[in-house]
Amino acid sequence: MNLLKIIAVTAGLGTLVAAAGLAIMWRLRGRSIGVMMAVVAAVAVVATLAGVVAITLRMLIEGEARDLVLSVVAVGGLVGLGVAFILGRRVVAASRRLVDAVRTPGDFTAPQGLPAELQTIANTLEESFARERALEGARRELVAWVSHDLRTPLAGMRAMAEALEDGVVTDRETVLRYHTQIRLEVERLSGLVDDLFELSRIHAGALRLSRSRIGLADLVADTMAGAEALARAKGVRLSAEAGEVVPVEADAGALGRALRNLVVNAIRHTPTDGTVLLRAAVHVGMACLSVADCCGGIPEADLPRVFEVAFTGESARTPTGEGGAGLGLAIAQGIVEAHQGLIGVVNEGPGCRFEIRLPLS
Ligand SMILES: Nc1ncnc2c1ncn2[C@@H]1O[C@H](COP(=O)(O)OP(=O)(O)O)[C@@H](O)[C@H]1O
Ligand SMILES: [Mg+2]
């Protein structure tokens, strides 16, 4: 009977104290974890003490037993408070270290030996800082390269336009050549600006795909038709193998652009009389689009880098040549990845083979 009474009284008081503790924590919800821990410890101590005091007041226990219980509770409470205090200080110190590390200018490295949750935050921060730094570096390089790629042809166009304006060149043939040259440069620069715009949309995650069920065989046929003039001018044979339909859920415009970038590269890097082969097929449950050429192989060291923004494989950039600004493959990769696909390249036979893999529809 006594035991039931004791349980009822202590449980009732404990609930009251717990409610008060929760209310206090709610008021202090924006404060330090250390303060919260002190509240938790205090709730435990007060709940126990309240129970004991109530029981002793009702003379359920008396004399030596009462003193024993009271002192055990008091000492236990003090120990609990002490541990909560130390733990709170540790958490506060750890979070301060984290904040200091974040605020330190320069590279952020995660401090070690933090409590698990804070360590996770620190490691995640380190990763995202590193990613941000890499992106920022790439962006800066791109701006530097692009301004270089814009400035050189602009200088040439300006010189030609001035020569025409001042009447320095008058013979029909040169005048015609200058006009053609200026038009070609303008076309190339517009292409560059388009590519930059596309790339910035991809990087901003703002690529809007309007996907529908399309057949890769049709995409290959369209791309072939679009690239025929370029291939003929270069004396490159363009052929396709697309027997099956190969249905995918894709944005035909965007995917066509990605494929066109691969095909234009292949034609450009294939010598006269070489062949560029486009293929659409189903391979181990995936839709595969591949472009194989006769470029003689990409240097092993360049293979993993060809998809990088502004990578052109040349140590010196020569923007007046027929090469681009190194954006084509980065754009193709961005488009393919937006379709949950993969793009890759291997050296094979007389050249290399770029391959796009997409989930089948
Ligand atoms: N089919 C290919 N054969 C050989 N090298 C290639 C081929 N496609 C791409 N590359 C290499 O990858 C680089 C990057 O290609 P890309 O992003 O399209 O830029 P760009 O065509 O403007 O140079 C090229 O400069 C070239 O060095
Ligand atoms: Mg290209």
Side-chain angles (χ1 to χ4, degrees), residues 133-208:
R133 245 189 339 266
L135 262 180
E136 186 53 43
R139 223 170 278 145
R140 211 170 294 142
E141 270 186 349
L142 178 63
V143 170
W145 279 330
V146 165
S147 30
H148 172 252
D149 284 0
L150 288 173
R151 209 174 302 127
T152 318
L154 281 176
M157 283 158 65
R158 179 186 188 154
M160 284 185 277
E162 278 172 359
L164 290 171
E165 196 176 30
D166 300 346
V168 178
V169 287
T170 44
D171 66 297
R172 241 186 82 75
E173 200 180 316
T174 316
V175 168
L176 199 68
R177 187 159 54 81
Y178 275 22
H179 277 136
T180 311
Q181 190 64 31
I182 290 172
R183 182 181 52 79
L184 288 177
E185 289 290 356
V186 166
E187 274 167 17
R188 211 170 61 81
L189 291 181
S190 325
L192 178 58
V193 171
D194 282 350
D195 281 353
L196 276 175
F197 184 63
E198 185 77 3
L199 201 62
S200 79
R201 281 205 310 176
I202 289 172
H203 281 175
L207 193 64
R208 291 269 165 273

XYZ file of all heavy atoms in Angstrom, residues 133-208:
604
model
N 34.692 26.613 -53.715
C 35.985 27.142 -54.141
C 36.323 26.672 -55.547
O 36.763 27.446 -56.385
C 37.078 26.669 -53.174
C 37.711 27.803 -52.420
C 38.926 27.426 -51.628
N 39.094 26.039 -51.273
C 38.708 25.479 -50.132
N 38.105 26.199 -49.219
N 38.939 24.210 -49.890
N 36.086 25.359 -55.793
C 36.415 24.805 -57.101
C 35.569 25.480 -58.182
O 36.069 25.871 -59.237
C 36.180 23.298 -57.108
N 34.269 25.643 -57.871
C 33.358 26.285 -58.830
C 33.796 27.714 -59.110
O 33.822 28.160 -60.251
C 31.945 26.314 -58.249
C 31.010 25.219 -58.714
C 29.654 25.389 -58.064
C 30.872 25.274 -60.228
N 34.143 28.415 -58.044
C 34.550 29.808 -58.165
C 35.801 29.905 -59.037
O 35.903 30.758 -59.919
C 34.818 30.369 -56.759
C 35.104 31.848 -56.703
C 34.044 32.676 -57.396
O 32.853 32.375 -57.215
O 34.414 33.606 -58.144
N 36.756 28.980 -58.797
C 37.985 28.961 -59.583
C 37.682 28.719 -61.056
O 38.189 29.413 -61.942
N 36.795 27.732 -61.304
C 36.441 27.397 -62.686
C 35.776 28.590 -63.362
O 36.039 28.899 -64.524
C 35.514 26.184 -62.706
N 34.917 29.269 -62.598
C 34.202 30.408 -63.151
C 35.188 31.517 -63.542
O 35.098 32.108 -64.614
C 33.219 30.933 -62.103
C 31.877 31.285 -62.672
C 30.889 31.554 -61.563
N 30.319 30.335 -61.011
C 29.996 30.165 -59.734
N 30.201 31.121 -58.859
N 29.473 29.036 -59.324
N 36.153 31.738 -62.631
C 37.119 32.804 -62.899
C 37.951 32.473 -64.140
O 38.184 33.329 -64.987
C 38.020 32.973 -61.670
C 38.492 34.383 -61.515
C 39.179 34.592 -60.180
N 38.295 34.453 -59.047
C 38.652 33.884 -57.888
N 39.850 33.395 -57.727
N 37.792 33.818 -56.893
N 38.367 31.187 -64.233
C 39.144 30.779 -65.402
C 38.335 30.956 -66.673
O 38.838 31.441 -67.675
C 39.508 29.296 -65.279
C 40.816 29.058 -64.566
C 41.193 27.590 -64.594
O 40.336 26.764 -64.982
O 42.330 27.289 -64.228
N 37.060 30.573 -66.588
C 36.207 30.662 -67.772
C 36.110 32.110 -68.236
O 36.245 32.405 -69.425
C 34.814 30.113 -67.445
C 33.824 30.191 -68.592
C 34.291 29.341 -69.758
C 32.439 29.749 -68.147
N 35.885 33.013 -67.281
C 35.762 34.426 -67.646
C 37.052 34.905 -68.304
O 37.029 35.594 -69.335
C 35.420 35.284 -66.408
C 35.530 36.759 -66.740
C 34.022 34.955 -65.922
N 38.200 34.501 -67.722
C 39.483 34.931 -68.278
C 39.645 34.408 -69.705
O 40.003 35.150 -70.623
C 40.623 34.436 -67.408
N 39.327 33.096 -69.895
C 39.506 32.503 -71.216
C 38.544 33.092 -72.239
O 38.910 33.361 -73.369
C 39.293 30.992 -71.136
C 40.493 30.285 -70.645
C 41.794 30.675 -70.808
C 40.518 29.064 -69.912
N 42.619 29.774 -70.216
C 41.877 28.767 -69.662
C 39.544 28.196 -69.454
C 42.270 27.634 -68.972
C 39.944 27.064 -68.771
C 41.292 26.792 -68.536
N 37.307 33.265 -71.787
C 36.319 33.755 -72.739
C 36.647 35.177 -73.159
O 36.543 35.525 -74.338
C 34.904 33.648 -72.153
C 33.943 34.476 -72.961
C 34.465 32.204 -72.143
N 37.111 35.989 -72.198
C 37.418 37.359 -72.617
C 38.594 37.342 -73.587
O 38.648 38.136 -74.519
C 37.672 38.283 -71.436
O 38.211 37.595 -70.373
N 39.510 36.404 -73.373
C 40.612 36.255 -74.321
C 40.078 35.816 -75.689
O 40.439 36.368 -76.723
C 41.601 35.224 -73.780
C 42.673 34.850 -74.746
N 42.711 33.635 -75.371
C 43.723 35.546 -75.215
C 43.760 33.596 -76.179
N 44.398 34.744 -76.096
N 39.164 34.838 -75.660
C 38.614 34.317 -76.917
C 37.756 35.347 -77.644
O 37.542 35.240 -78.845
C 37.749 33.070 -76.645
C 38.625 31.856 -76.375
O 39.863 32.032 -76.412
O 38.086 30.773 -76.124
N 37.218 36.299 -76.896
C 36.412 37.334 -77.545
C 37.306 38.454 -78.074
O 37.080 38.978 -79.158
C 35.409 37.933 -76.557
C 34.236 37.057 -76.145
C 33.435 37.737 -75.040
C 33.334 36.790 -77.348
N 38.319 38.790 -77.284
C 39.112 39.962 -77.618
C 39.890 39.785 -78.918
O 39.925 40.687 -79.744
C 40.070 40.290 -76.464
C 40.369 41.753 -76.388
C 41.198 42.102 -75.162
N 40.590 41.730 -73.904
C 41.188 40.991 -72.961
N 42.397 40.539 -73.149
N 40.585 40.729 -71.834
N 40.492 38.603 -79.095
C 41.349 38.419 -80.260
C 40.572 38.540 -81.575
O 40.968 39.337 -82.437
C 42.086 37.078 -80.158
O 42.520 36.942 -78.811
C 43.258 37.004 -81.086
N 39.472 37.806 -81.733
C 38.739 37.987 -82.995
C 38.144 39.380 -83.139
O 38.066 39.901 -84.258
C 37.627 36.933 -82.929
C 37.582 36.454 -81.546
C 38.900 36.732 -80.917
N 37.777 40.000 -82.034
C 37.231 41.356 -82.119
C 38.289 42.314 -82.666
O 38.001 43.177 -83.505
C 36.752 41.837 -80.745
C 35.391 41.299 -80.312
C 35.060 41.757 -78.901
C 34.300 41.751 -81.278
N 39.532 42.142 -82.202
C 40.615 43.005 -82.679
C 40.786 42.826 -84.191
O 40.936 43.810 -84.930
C 41.907 42.668 -81.939
N 40.710 41.554 -84.641
C 40.851 41.300 -86.065
C 39.734 41.933 -86.874
O 39.965 42.567 -87.907
N 38.501 41.810 -86.369
C 37.354 42.368 -87.080
C 37.442 43.884 -87.148
O 37.118 44.502 -88.160
C 36.056 41.960 -86.370
C 35.658 40.525 -86.668
S 34.575 39.843 -85.432
C 33.147 40.852 -85.625
N 37.906 44.448 -86.051
C 38.031 45.896 -86.015
C 39.043 46.359 -87.059
O 38.796 47.342 -87.797
C 38.489 46.311 -84.626
C 38.658 47.789 -84.502
C 39.237 48.125 -83.160
N 39.217 49.559 -82.979
C 39.170 50.130 -81.803
N 39.117 49.374 -80.722
N 39.171 51.425 -81.715
N 40.179 45.670 -87.141
C 41.212 46.030 -88.113
C 40.653 45.948 -89.537
O 40.860 46.848 -90.360
C 42.418 45.112 -87.950
N 39.907 44.856 -89.813
C 39.347 44.688 -91.161
C 38.308 45.762 -91.457
O 38.297 46.353 -92.548
C 38.726 43.295 -91.301
C 39.767 42.202 -91.460
S 39.045 40.579 -91.781
C 38.644 40.031 -90.165
N 37.454 46.037 -90.464
C 36.410 47.046 -90.676
C 37.045 48.422 -90.925
O 36.604 49.170 -91.811
C 35.484 47.097 -89.463
N 38.108 48.740 -90.176
C 38.777 50.035 -90.365
C 39.416 50.132 -91.743
O 39.337 51.174 -92.407
C 39.832 50.232 -89.268
C 39.219 50.740 -87.965
C 40.227 50.757 -86.831
O 41.394 50.365 -87.051
O 39.847 51.167 -85.729
N 40.036 48.997 -92.149
C 40.671 48.990 -93.465
C 39.637 49.241 -94.563
O 39.869 49.979 -95.516
C 41.397 47.664 -93.687
N 38.447 48.634 -94.399
C 37.380 48.831 -95.387
C 36.879 50.276 -95.351
O 36.680 50.916 -96.382
C 36.215 47.872 -95.102
C 36.478 46.385 -95.369
C 35.326 45.541 -94.824
C 36.665 46.138 -96.862
N 36.715 50.777 -94.140
C 36.170 52.119 -93.954
C 37.105 53.182 -94.539
O 36.669 54.110 -95.220
C 35.992 52.353 -92.455
C 35.106 53.509 -92.107
C 34.914 53.601 -90.598
O 35.827 53.195 -89.846
O 33.862 54.079 -90.188
N 38.410 53.034 -94.278
C 39.386 54.029 -94.731
C 39.750 53.868 -96.195
O 40.542 54.643 -96.735
C 40.669 53.935 -93.899
C 40.403 54.195 -92.425
O 39.294 54.690 -92.133
O 41.271 53.892 -91.584
N 39.231 52.834 -96.810
C 39.560 52.597 -98.207
C 40.988 52.129 -98.400
O 41.589 52.326 -99.467
N 41.600 51.557 -97.364
C 42.961 51.024 -97.492
C 42.960 49.817 -98.433
O 43.864 49.634 -99.226
C 43.528 50.624 -96.105
C 44.918 50.014 -96.237
C 43.553 51.832 -95.193
N 41.930 49.006 -98.314
C 41.811 47.900 -99.269
C 40.719 48.275 -100.267
O 39.639 48.732 -99.887
C 41.449 46.561 -98.580
C 42.624 46.006 -97.823
C 40.251 46.720 -97.687
N 41.050 48.139 -101.525
C 40.072 48.532 -102.539
C 39.841 47.434 -103.566
O 38.783 47.398 -104.181
C 40.525 49.814 -103.282
O 41.916 49.682 -103.580
C 40.267 51.060 -102.452
N 40.835 46.533 -103.717
C 40.603 45.521 -104.769
C 39.458 44.600 -104.346
O 39.342 44.215 -103.182
C 41.885 44.736 -105.082
C 42.345 43.896 -103.920
O 42.669 44.526 -102.871
O 42.356 42.667 -104.017
N 38.619 44.339 -105.345
C 37.370 43.616 -105.109
C 37.544 42.350 -104.278
O 36.800 42.073 -103.356
C 36.759 43.242 -106.471
C 35.388 43.864 -106.695
C 34.783 43.328 -107.983
N 34.148 42.019 -107.776
C 32.961 41.857 -107.160
N 32.310 42.900 -106.713
N 32.445 40.662 -107.019
N 38.607 41.608 -104.615
C 38.796 40.293 -103.996
C 39.039 40.421 -102.487
O 38.423 39.711 -101.694
C 39.991 39.608 -104.667
C 39.997 38.102 -104.477
C 41.210 37.501 -105.176
O 41.487 37.924 -106.336
O 41.872 36.658 -104.547
N 39.918 41.353 -102.115
C 40.223 41.518 -100.689
C 39.016 42.043 -99.925
O 38.718 41.592 -98.811
C 41.407 42.486 -100.516
O 42.407 42.162 -101.458
C 41.989 42.382 -99.119
N 38.306 43.000 -100.544
C 37.117 43.551 -99.892
C 36.121 42.429 -99.591
O 35.596 42.302 -98.485
C 36.457 44.636 -100.784
C 35.074 44.996 -100.265
C 37.335 45.865 -100.859
N 35.927 41.571 -100.600
C 34.997 40.452 -100.439
C 35.471 39.515 -99.326
O 34.701 39.067 -98.473
C 34.905 39.691 -101.769
C 33.660 38.816 -101.899
C 32.424 39.679 -101.993
C 33.790 37.914 -103.141
N 36.798 39.239 -99.327
C 37.355 38.317 -98.333
C 37.158 38.889 -96.919
O 36.790 38.174 -95.994
C 38.846 38.110 -98.619
C 39.504 37.045 -97.763
C 40.779 36.532 -98.429
N 41.696 37.630 -98.751
C 42.510 38.188 -97.853
N 42.515 37.776 -96.611
N 43.302 39.175 -98.211
N 37.386 40.202 -96.785
C 37.217 40.831 -95.466
C 35.767 40.720 -94.999
O 35.487 40.393 -93.851
C 37.633 42.315 -95.529
C 39.126 42.524 -95.345
C 40.038 41.491 -95.582
C 39.618 43.765 -94.929
C 41.393 41.687 -95.421
C 40.977 43.965 -94.750
C 41.864 42.919 -95.007
O 43.198 43.126 -94.832
N 34.842 41.001 -95.930
C 33.430 40.912 -95.547
C 33.068 39.506 -95.082
O 32.418 39.321 -94.065
C 32.541 41.320 -96.734
C 32.379 42.814 -96.837
N 32.457 43.481 -98.030
C 32.153 43.750 -95.897
C 32.296 44.774 -97.825
N 32.108 44.965 -96.522
N 33.529 38.519 -95.868
C 33.234 37.129 -95.499
C 33.826 36.794 -94.148
O 33.177 36.192 -93.281
C 33.820 36.169 -96.564
O 33.420 36.626 -97.845
C 33.338 34.752 -96.334
N 35.088 37.224 -93.973
C 35.791 36.932 -92.729
C 35.047 37.535 -91.533
O 34.851 36.881 -90.505
C 37.211 37.501 -92.816
C 38.137 37.062 -91.688
C 38.372 35.559 -91.733
O 38.356 34.956 -92.812
N 38.527 34.943 -90.575
N 34.605 38.769 -91.712
C 33.884 39.444 -90.623
C 32.589 38.699 -90.309
O 32.259 38.445 -89.148
C 33.597 40.927 -90.981
C 34.902 41.714 -90.964
C 32.601 41.539 -90.007
C 34.778 43.137 -91.472
N 31.873 38.275 -91.359
C 30.622 37.554 -91.119
C 30.879 36.244 -90.386
O 30.177 35.893 -89.429
C 29.896 37.285 -92.446
C 28.551 36.573 -92.230
C 27.832 36.281 -93.544
N 28.652 35.595 -94.524
C 28.902 34.284 -94.488
N 28.417 33.535 -93.524
N 29.666 33.730 -95.419
N 31.920 35.524 -90.807
C 32.219 34.239 -90.163
C 32.563 34.435 -88.682
O 32.114 33.679 -87.818
C 33.385 33.543 -90.871
C 33.051 32.978 -92.250
C 34.294 32.385 -92.902
C 31.959 31.927 -92.141
N 33.349 35.488 -88.426
C 33.733 35.752 -87.036
C 32.505 36.106 -86.193
O 32.374 35.676 -85.061
C 34.757 36.897 -86.960
C 36.139 36.534 -87.485
C 36.887 35.540 -86.597
O 36.363 35.181 -85.527
O 37.989 35.116 -86.979
N 31.623 36.914 -86.798
C 30.404 37.285 -86.071
C 29.590 36.035 -85.742
O 29.102 35.866 -84.623
C 29.556 38.287 -86.885
C 28.159 38.416 -86.302
C 30.231 39.649 -86.914
N 29.497 35.119 -86.734
C 28.750 33.882 -86.489
C 29.392 33.068 -85.369
O 28.719 32.531 -84.486
C 28.698 33.029 -87.765
C 27.550 33.434 -88.669
C 27.669 32.826 -90.064
O 28.447 31.863 -90.235
O 26.987 33.334 -90.969
N 30.731 33.002 -85.408
C 31.432 32.212 -84.399
C 31.237 32.824 -83.005
O 30.990 32.125 -82.030
C 32.922 32.153 -84.732
C 33.589 30.861 -84.287
C 34.982 30.766 -84.856
N 35.826 31.855 -84.416
C 36.431 31.875 -83.232
N 36.283 30.887 -82.405
N 37.181 32.901 -82.885
N 31.330 34.158 -82.949
C 31.169 34.826 -81.655
C 29.737 34.675 -81.139
O 29.532 34.484 -79.939
C 31.559 36.309 -81.759
C 33.061 36.546 -81.966
C 33.356 38.037 -82.036
C 33.884 35.916 -80.871
N 28.748 34.732 -82.043
C 27.361 34.535 -81.573
C 27.216 33.130 -81.021
O 26.549 32.919 -80.004
C 26.331 34.703 -82.681
O 26.728 35.671 -83.571
N 27.852 32.169 -81.710
C 27.813 30.788 -81.212
C 28.425 30.697 -79.830
O 27.884 30.028 -78.933
N 29.515 31.407 -79.645
C 30.191 31.380 -78.344
C 29.292 31.964 -77.258
O 29.163 31.405 -76.162
C 31.506 32.174 -78.445
C 32.333 32.314 -77.189
C 32.716 30.958 -76.638
C 33.588 33.136 -77.461
N 28.639 33.088 -77.599
C 27.747 33.715 -76.615
C 26.570 32.788 -76.286
O 26.197 32.624 -75.119
C 27.259 35.094 -77.124
C 26.184 35.655 -76.222
C 28.431 36.060 -77.213
N 26.030 32.118 -77.330
C 24.948 31.149 -77.102
C 25.407 30.041 -76.149
O 24.693 29.664 -75.215
C 24.536 30.475 -78.419
C 23.649 31.376 -79.247
O 23.224 32.406 -78.696
O 23.395 31.054 -80.413
N 26.620 29.515 -76.428
C 27.152 28.434 -75.595
C 27.309 28.886 -74.151
O 26.987 28.158 -73.218
C 28.514 27.969 -76.124
C 28.344 27.048 -77.318
O 27.196 26.692 -77.617
O 29.363 26.693 -77.943
N 27.818 30.106 -73.988
C 28.012 30.623 -72.635
C 26.693 30.731 -71.900
O 26.570 30.383 -70.727
C 28.647 32.022 -72.694
C 30.153 32.036 -72.819
C 30.620 33.463 -72.992
C 30.784 31.421 -71.582
N 25.685 31.203 -72.622
C 24.374 31.362 -72.027
C 23.814 30.003 -71.602
O 23.326 29.829 -70.483
C 23.441 32.041 -73.036
C 22.086 32.328 -72.491
C 21.929 33.202 -71.432
C 20.963 31.699 -73.028
C 20.667 33.451 -70.919
C 19.709 31.953 -72.512
C 19.562 32.826 -71.466
N 23.949 29.035 -72.508
C 23.469 27.675 -72.226
C 24.188 27.097 -71.006
O 23.565 26.539 -70.104
C 23.731 26.801 -73.456
C 23.174 25.387 -73.364
C 21.678 25.344 -73.593
O 21.103 26.403 -73.874
O 21.103 24.251 -73.494
N 25.506 27.288 -70.984
C 26.301 26.735 -69.898
C 25.927 27.374 -68.565
O 25.838 26.701 -67.538
C 27.786 26.966 -70.194
C 28.743 26.060 -69.455
C 28.506 24.616 -69.845
C 30.177 26.452 -69.751
N 25.673 28.688 -68.603
C 25.347 29.343 -67.334
C 23.978 28.889 -66.845
O 23.747 28.737 -65.653
C 25.416 30.867 -67.462
O 24.260 31.341 -68.071
N 23.076 28.587 -67.812
C 21.767 28.055 -67.394
C 21.918 26.674 -66.784
O 21.274 26.338 -65.795
C 20.818 27.988 -68.600
C 20.220 29.337 -68.935
C 18.924 29.173 -69.656
N 19.073 28.230 -70.778
C 18.075 27.842 -71.542
N 16.871 28.293 -71.304
N 18.277 26.997 -72.526
N 22.801 25.862 -67.399
C 23.032 24.518 -66.867
C 23.615 24.616 -65.460
O 23.173 23.944 -64.535
C 23.982 23.724 -67.792
C 23.263 23.366 -69.085
C 24.486 22.469 -67.100
C 24.147 22.747 -70.141
N 24.600 25.498 -65.295
C 25.252 25.620 -63.989
C 24.318 26.172 -62.935
O 24.421 25.849 -61.761
C 26.507 26.492 -64.101
C 27.655 25.726 -64.673
N 28.857 26.291 -64.969
C 27.758 24.419 -65.014
C 29.669 25.365 -65.458
N 29.008 24.225 -65.500
N 23.393 27.021 -63.358
C 22.451 27.588 -62.387
C 21.330 26.605 -62.095
O 20.441 26.879 -61.305
C 21.884 28.903 -62.925
N 21.359 25.439 -62.760
C 20.296 24.444 -62.571
C 18.991 24.920 -63.173
O 17.918 24.473 -62.778
N 19.090 25.857 -64.131
C 17.869 26.459 -64.670
C 17.526 25.906 -66.047
O 16.763 26.499 -66.786
C 18.027 27.983 -64.753
N 18.128 24.748 -66.378
C 17.843 24.147 -67.667
C 16.427 23.586 -67.631
O 16.145 22.666 -66.877
C 18.848 23.021 -67.927
C 18.916 22.483 -69.342
C 19.381 23.573 -70.285
C 19.861 21.303 -69.406
N 15.530 24.170 -68.439
C 14.147 23.690 -68.459
C 14.005 22.671 -69.574
O 14.108 23.010 -70.743
C 13.191 24.853 -68.690
C 13.106 25.816 -67.553
C 12.011 25.448 -66.560
N 12.185 26.190 -65.324
C 12.946 25.782 -64.318
N 13.596 24.636 -64.387
N 13.078 26.516 -63.226
